[in-house]
């Protein structure tokens, strides 16, 4: 495991926050999370923490591996987008987990992860975090973070999931120009002072137990909590999926995490796509 930068290093000008430090993150873990974490791999720079976690799973690592980096050179967003990942400021982490029943046991996982991330931010002093279906993390209507779940394996047999999370803590102005949507960061939302390593530990305290219990509990255990943070409840939206668009009023989500839209008086469910408020780009 690479543990960089060293725990006692003095933050240089390139770090606008405390550097990530394994000891500090591990010290903040609950006994349950400590028991579930098998390896914490911190990198100075990597292409993508999701890509690295997937490579490690292919190489035999299993459930409980966590990969993070100070900077990603090819951070991945949803739908083939790039995730802007400047050095030493935001958080980029990926958790690996193997599901015995395969990808069918992962339905709604990315939505449940959104709830866990919002709860962790809440616990660290940022209330008011909202969720946009399927799994954007918002504050004040702007994007604070994102989730990208990638899978490898089949239905019916064991399959691997990599749960990637990016949270904007303090987005440098010179990187912000590369972001193609309304964004915010923790410092804008609440002011400075949220410890980077403390937030990392709190995220793991919520996420590792979620992953350990998800195959048994399923998304049903998370649905109400997701709905309580749904920023689009009752709003008229447009759902875009590939070349098709559908307009409707958000009714909620079902037990599998599918979006329920009232389309001309009929409730229809949708498994993929992206929603925007009517009139928004
Ligand atoms: C989104 O588009 O909303 C999802 C963004 C997910 C970004 C995170 S950062 C850590 C992990 N590694 C990646 O390459 N992507 C995810």
């Amino acid at each position: 495991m690479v543990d960089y930068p060293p725990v006692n290093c003095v933050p240089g000008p390139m770090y606008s926050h405390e550097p990530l430090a394994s000891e500090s993150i591990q010290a903040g873990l609950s006994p349950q999370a400590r028991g579930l974490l098998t390896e914490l791999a911190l990198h100075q720079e990597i292409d993508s923490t999701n890509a690295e976690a997937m490579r490690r799973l292919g190489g035999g690592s299993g459930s409980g591996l966590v990969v993070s980096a100070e900077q990603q050179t090819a951070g991945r967003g949803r739908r083939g987008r790039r995730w802007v990942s400047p050095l030493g400021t935001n958080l980029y982490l990926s958790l690996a987990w193997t599901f015995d029943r395969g990808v069918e046991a992962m339905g709604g996982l990315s939505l449940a992860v959104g709830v866990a991330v919002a709860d962790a931010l809440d616990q660290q002093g940022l209330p008011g975090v909202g969720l946009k279906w399927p799994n954007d993390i918002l504050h004040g209507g702007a994007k604070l973070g994102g989730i990208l779940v990638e899978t490898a394996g089949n239905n019916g047999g064991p399959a691997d999931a990599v749960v990637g999370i990016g949270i904007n803590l303090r987005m440098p102005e010179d990187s912000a120009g590369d972001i193609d949507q309304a964004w915010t960061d923790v410092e804008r939302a609440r002011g400075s002072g949220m410890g980077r390593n403390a937030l990392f530990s709190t995220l793991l305290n919520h996420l590792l137990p979620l992953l350990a219990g998800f195959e048994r509990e399923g998304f049903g255990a998370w649905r109400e909590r997701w709905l309580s943070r749904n920023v689009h409840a009752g709003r008229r939206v447009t759902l875009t999926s590939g070349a098709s668009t559908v307009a409707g009023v958000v009714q909620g989500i079902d037990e599998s995490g599918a979006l329920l839209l009232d389309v001309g008086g009929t409730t229809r469910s949708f498994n993929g796509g992206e929603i925007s408020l009517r009139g928004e780009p």
Side-chain angles (χ1 to χ4, degrees), residues 48-50 72 75-78 83 93-94 143 146-147 164-166:
S48 151
T49 57
N50 265 32
Q72 296 185 116
R76 299 174 180 167
R78 287 182 65 234
W83 188 255
L93 63 147
S94 300
K143 188 150 169 172
I147 295 160
I165 297 154

Side-chain angles (χ1 to χ4, degrees), residues 201-275:
S201 309
T202 306
L203 285 165
L204 296 188
N205 288 343
H206 286 264
L207 290 162
L208 286 166
L210 153 63
L211 288 169
F214 195 80
E215 183 148 17
R216 187 179 64 249
E217 295 170 357
F219 179 64
W222 295 84
R223 182 172 162 271
E224 285 300 328
R225 289 160 69 193
W226 191 94
L227 287 169
S228 72
R229 292 190 183 270
N230 179 14
V231 294
H232 286 139
R235 303 291 300 271
R236 175 161 286 279
V237 299
T238 301
L239 177 74
T240 306
S241 181
S244 76
T245 61
V246 184
V249 176
V250 175
Q251 302 292 291
I253 52 173
D254 69 14
E255 291 288 316
S256 70
L259 179 71
L260 299 175
L261 279 187
D262 179 331
V263 183
T266 304
T267 299
R268 292 175 55 190
S269 69
F270 298 89
N271 284 305
E274 201 150 352
I275 55 179

Side-chain angles (χ1 to χ4, degrees), residues 47-51 67 72 74-79 81-83 85 91-94 135-137 143 145-150 162-167 181:
D47 52 352
S48 151
T49 57
N50 265 32
V67 179
Q72 296 185 116
R76 299 174 180 167
R78 287 182 65 234
R79 304 166 79 78
R81 292 198 183 105
R82 187 164 80 91
W83 188 255
S85 308
L91 280 186
Y92 322 112
L93 63 147
S94 300
N135 47 25
D136 280 356
I137 301 160
K143 188 150 169 172
I147 295 160
L148 179 66
V149 176
E150 299 185 279
V162 169
V163 174
I165 297 154
I167 298 177
Q181 53 194 314

